[in-house]
Amino acid sequence: MRRDVATVLVVEDEEALRSLLKDELEDDGATVLTAGSAEAAVETLAGTRVDLVVSDLRLPGANGLELLERTRSMEHPPAFIVITAFGTIDQAVRALKEGADDFLTKPLDLDHLSVRVARVLETRRLKDELLRYREAMGAPDFHGMVGRSPVMTELFHDLKRIARGQGPVLLQGESGTGKELAARAIHAESSRKGKPFLAVNCAGIPESLLESEFFGHVKGAFTGATSSRAGLFQEADGGTLLLDEIGEMPQGLQAKLLRVLQEGEVRPVGSDRSTPVDVRVIAATHRDLSDDGDQEEGSIRHDLYYRLETFRLSLPPLRERTGDIDLLAARFVQRHAVRLDRTPPELGAPFLETLRAYRFPGNVRELENLVERAVTFCEGPRLEPRHLPARVRSPSRENGDEPGAAASLGAAARLVSQDEIMTLQELERRYVEHVLERVDGNKRRAAALLGIGRRTLYRKLE
């Protein structure tokens, strides 16, 4: 049994058998939900995603076959095992034809139950893994940008619309959100796509060389200028120039950039003549430049800002499109497995859950770095949370996640008053309850924090 992901719904009208099945599957590490009828099972499935339904064929009201039919129409249908009396094998065969994964006959052999459930869950996991990779490989790829979330779909439409224009573009977004990819997409979708695309980081060039880099210089313009040199604007003539971190450009150079945008010409350093250029400027920044109102060093001039924001676009952080994490992770696993010349490891569900719970201050770039690290560290067939850094596995309480080790020890000490004496068993019980409360009853997370298996946790709870 895969203890890390299996959520099983047992549907059985006999209470004694229902409890027996629940206990047996929980001993195997599953999270088990129960229902006494098909109608109750449908209500549970409407509010909870499960991996497997184990259902008797004969139920009060709607029978097991009708329940199977209802699950087949779900967006994420669970695997399905039917339980039947020995004399109704023909019904079990019919259930298999209609989509059931396996069947069991009464009286039940509990060891046989564990083996069949484990096999069905493993088969379903492999199918889900294959589907995930197929989705990732077939996901919309807009010039290197991947996403199916509504915000990304809208972003792709906006980039196409902006590409039809000729005016300057201002791209705003946190570090790692893909501003350069967005700029390249605009260029590739525009009439300039056959012309040069150049990108320059305004914070990465010494201030003394900035003017020469952007506008070029003539021979003898300054010490060391032994020959004339074209600047970035001339090199990008007819194409697109990306100015990354535009807010880091010195104020004096900003004024000259504004003149280029307005007049369409540049004057090389040391020259008394201007040269016409046809360049579409895309500026990018990780800050909200509309708040830079004091014209201080490190801010942007108002007049340049208003000229640049002819087309202004904000790129969403990864935490606002968590639905794309699975697609991106699968794409990065494939990419880095190829680079390492190895078979791509599977994306384990706990691994993906851990990623989804993380806030990603470094956005997509950080996600790719984490996946590259995990693929490199993984020596088995599946990526697991242990292949991620501790800061990802156990985020701080500031982000609303589980407490770290130090916080947990402090909490344990607070469970006992100064004058109270109790047995170690009672202290352990209180601490287990405390950890469960801190993780909202999530037994898998509680077991991970306590450093024990889920079966051990269940025994302690009993």
Side-chain angles (χ1 to χ4, degrees), residues 81 102-104 111-121:
I81 294 178
D102 206 345
F103 71 92
L104 298 166
D111 290 336
H112 192 204
L113 167 73
S114 294
V115 170
R116 302 291 277 273
V117 166
R119 186 176 68 184
V120 167
L121 285 171

Side-chain angles (χ1 to χ4, degrees), residues 170-389:
L170 179 60
L171 299 176
Q172 292 184 308
E174 296 176 10
S175 176
T177 50
K179 295 185 288 295
E180 182 170 342
L181 283 177
R184 290 183 180 275
I186 292 172
H187 176 75
E189 289 285 325
S190 73
S191 59
R192 300 173 178 267
K193 61 183 178 182
K195 300 296 183 178
F197 175 92
L198 299 180
V200 59
N201 189 324
C202 297
I205 303 175
E207 186 172 345
S208 59
L209 300 178
L210 276 171
E211 187 172 357
S212 174
E213 280 291 317
F214 282 106
F215 310 128
H217 61 260
V218 298
K219 181 178 179 180
F222 50 82
T223 302
T226 57
S227 62
S228 296
R229 180 181 181 277
L232 291 169
F233 276 93
Q234 291 168 292
E235 291 179 10
D237 192 27
T240 304
L241 178 60
L242 170 63
L243 304 179
D244 198 9
E245 296 304 340
I246 186 68
E248 305 303 318
M249 181 180 286
Q251 296 273 323
L253 192 60
Q254 289 184 28
K256 295 182 179 181
L257 172 60
L258 179 62
R259 179 174 177 82
V260 176
L261 295 176
Q262 292 174 337
E263 306 297 334
E265 57 184 30
V266 296
R267 178 174 294 181
V269 177
S271 175
D272 57 1
R273 289 187 298 179
S274 296
T275 302
V277 290
D278 175 23
V279 176
R280 188 175 196 187
V281 171
I282 300 179
T285 177
H286 72 282
R287 306 202 318 256
D288 183 356
L289 297 180
S290 62
D291 292 337
D292 289 351
D294 297 331
Q295 300 297 285
E296 60 191 14
E297 192 65 28
S299 68
I300 192 168
R301 291 170 54 104
H302 289 159
D303 47 7
L304 177 59
Y305 173 78
Y306 293 128
R307 184 73 180 99
L308 288 173
E309 71 157 0
T310 302
F311 297 100
R312 178 181 174 185
L313 194 59
S314 294
L315 276 66
L318 187 54
R319 62 181 172 275
E320 292 181 6
R321 56 183 190 106
T322 53
D324 291 331
I325 288 177
D326 290 17
L327 294 176
L328 290 163
R331 182 69 62 92
F332 296 148
V333 165
Q334 289 282 345
R335 178 183 300 173
H336 292 291
V338 168
R339 291 177 179 175
L340 294 172
D341 193 25
R342 62 162 295 180
T343 301
E346 300 163 4
L347 280 163
F351 180 85
L352 289 173
E353 289 174 7
T354 303
L355 291 179
R356 294 188 205 110
Y358 184 58
R359 289 187 60 80
F360 285 102
N363 294 290
V364 179
R365 184 184 298 124
E366 182 183 14
L367 172 60
E368 179 168 11
N369 293 340
L370 290 174
V371 170
E372 180 182 7
R373 177 191 192 275
V375 171
T376 303
F377 277 53
C378 177
E379 296 179 345
R382 183 181 306 135
L383 293 177
E384 299 175 1
R386 61 189 176 86
H387 298 128
L388 294 167

Side-chain angles (χ1 to χ4, degrees), residues 145-164:
M145 305 178 75
V146 177
R148 280 183 174 158
S149 59
V151 291
M152 291 303 289
T153 301
E154 182 63 25
L155 175 65
F156 297 159
H157 288 318
D158 287 342
L159 291 171
K160 288 181 180 179
R161 288 190 284 261
I162 288 173
R164 295 197 295 261

